[in-house]
């Protein structure tokens, strides 16, 4: 017997990735909801007809919200009161849940899942390959995912993880975390910290070019060292930085970073404010 899934935002970027993963899977009976005309046309090209929200939600067992974070609170306020008791609502980002933006109903399960995306340590395709799968689930590159049972009976975790593995396949590891831990990972670790550091790294690369370094030389020097230094820092190599490099790194930390950057980036209040900003963006 198939599991009924209502996919909200089925014609959007994330919705289409999920659609392509499960549209031919006989395990699922998928109802597709997409308000945008462009999205409806894209789904029609796949031979998919959309349903009205009320028709799609009637008797559904699972609702997947493949919609922008800022709409999740409003959408749950509208649809969750209409759901049967025990229905699972799957969110693809922790922001709205961590910011307490979900409709409050105790007999509904809220399950969170997010992809780690294919790692450049395990991906089979290169950075410039036309078939590079950046997001996961679109090619042969395996990825890991994180999952959290935000609300609901413990038995629902296994059901949620199974669906998450299908929509993000091929999946290697599914890491169970709490809602707060997922918010520490994103936005704090991979957006606030990693995104900022990489943006500054790009600015440094551009500055070196402005100082007269040939662009190709700067790019190849940076990208090559990115790989080997990442390997050193995260313990993939059996050799350390040179003594001179270690000294330069220690001395440069105070020039580049505030001494309390970890306390500020990973402060629970700051993470809460970040998720509220994401969940309530205009």
């Amino acid at each position: 017997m198939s599991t009924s899934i209502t996919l909200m935002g089925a014609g959007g970027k994330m919705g289409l990735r999920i659609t392509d993963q499960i549209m031919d899977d006989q395990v699922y009976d998928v109802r597709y909801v997409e308000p945008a005309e462009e999205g409806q046309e894209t789904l029609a090209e796949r031979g998919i007809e959309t349903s009205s929200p009320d028709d799609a939600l009637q008797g559904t067992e699972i609702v997947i919200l493949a919609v922008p974070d800022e709409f999740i609170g409003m959408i749950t306020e509208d649809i969750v009161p209409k759901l049967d008791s025990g229905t699972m609502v799957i969110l693809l980002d922790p922001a709205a849940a961590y910011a307490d933006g979900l409709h409050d109903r105790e007999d509904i399960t809220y399950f969170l899942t997010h992809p780690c995306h294919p790692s450049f340590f395990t991906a089979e395709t290169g950075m410039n390959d036309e078939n590079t799968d950046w997001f996961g689930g679109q090619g042969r590159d395996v990825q890991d995912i994180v999952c959290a049972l935000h609300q609901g009976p413990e038995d629902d975790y296994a059901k949620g993880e199974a669906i998450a593995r299908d929509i993000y396949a091929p999946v290697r590891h599914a890491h169970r975390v709490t809602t707060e831990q997922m918010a520490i990972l994103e936005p704090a670790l991979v957006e606030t910290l990693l995104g900022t550091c990489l943006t500054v790294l790009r600015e440094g690369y551009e500055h070196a070019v402005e100082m007269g370094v040939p662009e190709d030389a700067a790019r190849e020097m940076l990208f090559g060292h990115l790989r080997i230094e990442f390997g050193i820092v995260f313990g993939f190599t059996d050799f350390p930085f040179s003594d001179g490099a270690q000294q330069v790194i220690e001395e440069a930390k105070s020039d580049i970073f505030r001494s309390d950057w970890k306390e500020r980036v990973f402060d629970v209040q700051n993470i809460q404010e970040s998720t509220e900003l994401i969940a309530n963006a205009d």
Side-chain angles (χ1 to χ4, degrees), residues 75-83 89 103-105 108 110:
I75 290 173
T76 60
E77 288 293 333
D78 178 49
I79 71 168
V80 169
K82 305 173 184 177
L83 301 177
V89 178
H103 180 80
D104 186 12
R105 183 176 166 185
I108 293 296
Y110 283 117

Side-chain angles (χ1 to χ4, degrees), residues 241-252:
F241 285 109
S242 67
D243 292 342
Q246 291 185 49
Q247 183 176 352
V248 168
I249 291 167
E250 288 303 316
E251 291 181 355

Side-chain angles (χ1 to χ4, degrees), residues 150-167:
H150 180 70
Q151 173 183 299
E154 177 60 27
D155 289 347
D156 274 358
Y157 177 82
K159 180 169 67 173
E161 182 186 307
I163 295 171
R165 283 182 172 274
D166 286 341
I167 66 176

Side-chain angles (χ1 to χ4, degrees), residues 11 31 35 55 62-63 73 91 95-96 109 117 126 131 137 140 142 166 206 212-213 234 244 248-249 265 277:
R31 300 103 176 256
D55 288 343
I62 308 290
V63 179
L91 285 74
T109 293
H117 306 304
N131 297 316
R140 61 180 180 272
V142 69
D166 286 341
E206 292 175 344
V213 176
F234 281 88
V248 168
I249 291 167
V265 169
L277 180 65

Side-chain angles (χ1 to χ4, degrees), residues 20-140:
D20 290 340
Q21 288 281 47
I22 64 175
M23 60 183 291
D24 295 323
D25 194 332
Q26 300 303 310
V27 173
Y28 302 118
D29 169 25
V30 187
R31 300 103 176 256
Y32 302 89
V33 177
E34 175 52 57
E37 184 176 344
E38 181 180 355
Q40 293 174 2
E41 292 174 354
T42 304
L43 290 168
E45 292 172 359
R46 290 165 165 78
I48 293 173
E49 294 185 4
T50 57
S51 303
S52 69
D54 286 344
D55 288 343
L57 292 170
Q58 188 171 6
T60 193
E61 298 171 77
I62 308 290
V63 179
I64 301 177
L65 297 182
V67 299
D69 293 301
E70 60 265 31
F71 299 139
I72 288 178
M74 176 180 64
I75 290 173
T76 60
E77 288 293 333
D78 178 49
I79 71 168
V80 169
K82 305 173 184 177
L83 301 177
D84 293 342
S85 178
T87 302
M88 174 180 289
V89 178
I90 297 179
L91 285 74
L92 309 180
D93 187 277
Y98 192 61
D100 294 324
L102 305 179
H103 180 80
D104 186 12
R105 183 176 166 185
E106 294 183 355
D107 62 340
I108 293 296
T109 293
Y110 283 117
F111 186 88
L112 317 179
T113 182
H114 196 80
C116 296
H117 306 304
S119 163
F120 58 55
F121 280 102
T122 58
E124 296 183 32
T125 52
M127 299 285 280
N128 295 319
D129 192 303
E130 64 178 6
N131 297 316
T132 296
D133 181 3
W134 294 105
F135 295 98
Q138 306 302 297
R140 61 180 180 272

